[in-house]
Amino acid sequence: MAQIRIARRVLTECIAAMAFPILLLSILVAPVSAPVVAETDRSRARWCGVETMPLKPSDHSWAQWVAPRLRSRSMWRTDLPVFVTAVLLSALSLLVAFFGFIGAAALVFSPVFWLFGVAAQVGPFTPESVRETLLAMPAGIVFGAVTTTVLTGTSFLRDLLLRTFSRSRDPDLLAKLEELRTSRASLTAAFEFERQRIERDLHDGAQQELVAVVMRLGMLEATATAAAADQERIVRLARQAQAHAERALERLRDTVRDIHPRELSDLGLIAAVRELAARSPLRVELNSTGDDAQLSSPTATAVYFTVSEALTNISKHAGVGSARIDLRCATTDVHVRVHDDGVGGARIYAGSGLAGLRERMRSVGGNLEILSPPGGGTLVVASAPSQPPW
């Protein structure tokens, strides 16, 4: 195991040596390249067996991560020093690897060169006989071992400086704290959006219907008092009041279902999604595989509302009358894809329903992505572990 780690360190130093020209050019755009180089160095350290915490979330692209990172203090306090260290140590590794390994190879193969009439010169040493070329072979092996040792030491020096700069300001903890703050703000905004939606649905739906019921009952009472013989008008008002009451009841059921569907609690995720597809105004093709018995309630709820929001957006904005749902449940995780062939161009922005759903998926250890090129339809992909990490 130790030999493997040493080999990894030597290999990463050789790669760093070859990447030195690129690092040298990246100085021209140092504020942008510093976070990328520093995060790459953290990955190198982890590969070499050092415990370091990645700062870039796995679901973020480099562009999505670097832009806000430039506004972070820890970038200037940590990433920039690590970047400067990487450039300097890569230059050192380039010199050591180039002259060390080439010199070692020249000494080891000195007898071969002598056979072709070439005296392999390494520094001040130039063989003048076959005996000297044979003596150069073990010296070349020792030279190669020394070069390997120096490169390994350079790798350890990288780790030492990386840990020093990281511990100086606890950037890992600061980055995670910033991520938690952002997530908390997004969840707060999503919950506020959902509260306003429920309030709006109750106000514009059930409340209006109940107001109409009260008015019809008042008119019914007035008619019955004024003209007891006008049976036809009384019957009509009673029927109108009954119709409004039934609509109010239906809207209340829809609102309650949107908060948490009973099918999801009683029958599971697959049955709830099937019921959702049946109630949708779209022609929905549902393909489900696996067993949802292992899914936790928070995970199943997050996936259900992702599908619900996706179908709602398709019916409102996609300009098509059909959609496709692929739902796969396994013992360890769940994956769902909702696809349409509509106008595309959908995106996740702050305060939107999809932004809230993405944070909801992240809260159970999952993720939500949208692929929606203009004119190319929209694909909503969500995945999560069966049991939340908490």
Side-chain angles (χ1 to χ4, degrees), residues 255-267:
T255 301
V256 172
R257 186 184 293 112
D258 288 339
I259 296 174
H260 190 84
R262 188 175 184 84
E263 298 87 357
L264 187 61
S265 302
D266 296 344
L267 304 177

Side-chain angles (χ1 to χ4, degrees), residues 24-198:
L24 202 59
L25 290 176
S26 67
I27 295 178
L28 300 175
V29 287
V32 176
S33 59
V36 177
V37 174
E39 187 68 10
T40 303
D41 195 46
R42 296 183 190 99
S43 299
R44 174 207 61 81
R46 286 195 301 277
W47 194 60
C48 293
V50 179
E51 292 185 2
T52 59
M53 184 182 298
L55 300 188
K56 185 180 81 68
S58 59
D59 59 332
H60 281 46
S61 66
W62 284 104
Q64 290 175 324
W65 178 68
V66 169
R69 183 69 178 166
L70 293 175
R71 299 188 295 269
S72 173
R73 292 183 179 180
S74 57
M75 194 283 290
W76 303 99
R77 295 170 176 173
T78 303
D79 292 351
L80 196 59
V82 172
F83 171 72
V84 174
T85 299
V87 174
L88 295 177
L89 292 182
S90 294
L92 175 62
S93 296
L94 177 60
L95 294 175
V96 172
F98 182 78
F99 292 105
F101 286 134
I102 289 181
L107 291 174
V108 170
F109 294 101
S110 183
V112 178
F113 295 144
W114 184 268
L115 291 177
F116 288 94
V118 178
Q121 181 180 0
V122 178
F125 172 74
T126 303
E128 296 180 355
S129 64
V130 176
R131 180 174 177 275
E132 290 184 356
T133 60
L134 294 176
L135 292 176
M137 293 180 64
I141 295 175
V142 173
F143 196 23
V146 171
T147 301
T148 301
T149 302
V150 173
L151 290 177
T152 304
T154 304
S155 178
F156 278 111
L157 181 58
R158 285 182 190 270
D159 296 341
L160 177 61
L161 294 175
L162 177 63
R163 287 195 296 266
T164 300
F165 293 132
S166 297
R167 289 174 180 174
S168 63
R169 297 291 180 178
D170 289 328
D172 296 341
L173 296 179
L174 289 175
K176 292 300 179 183
L177 180 60
E178 290 177 4
E179 183 179 347
L180 286 175
R181 286 175 177 171
T182 302
S183 178
R184 184 178 64 179
S186 299
L187 283 174
T188 301
F191 289 152
E192 179 64 18
F193 176 82
E194 186 67 12
R195 186 192 65 79
Q196 293 176 359
R197 184 193 65 80
I198 294 174

Side-chain angles (χ1 to χ4, degrees), residues 327-341:
L327 177 62
R328 181 177 66 82
C329 299
T331 56
T332 58
D333 54 15
V334 57
H335 295 263
V336 65
R337 297 161 60 94
V338 184
H339 181 261
D340 69 81
D341 297 321

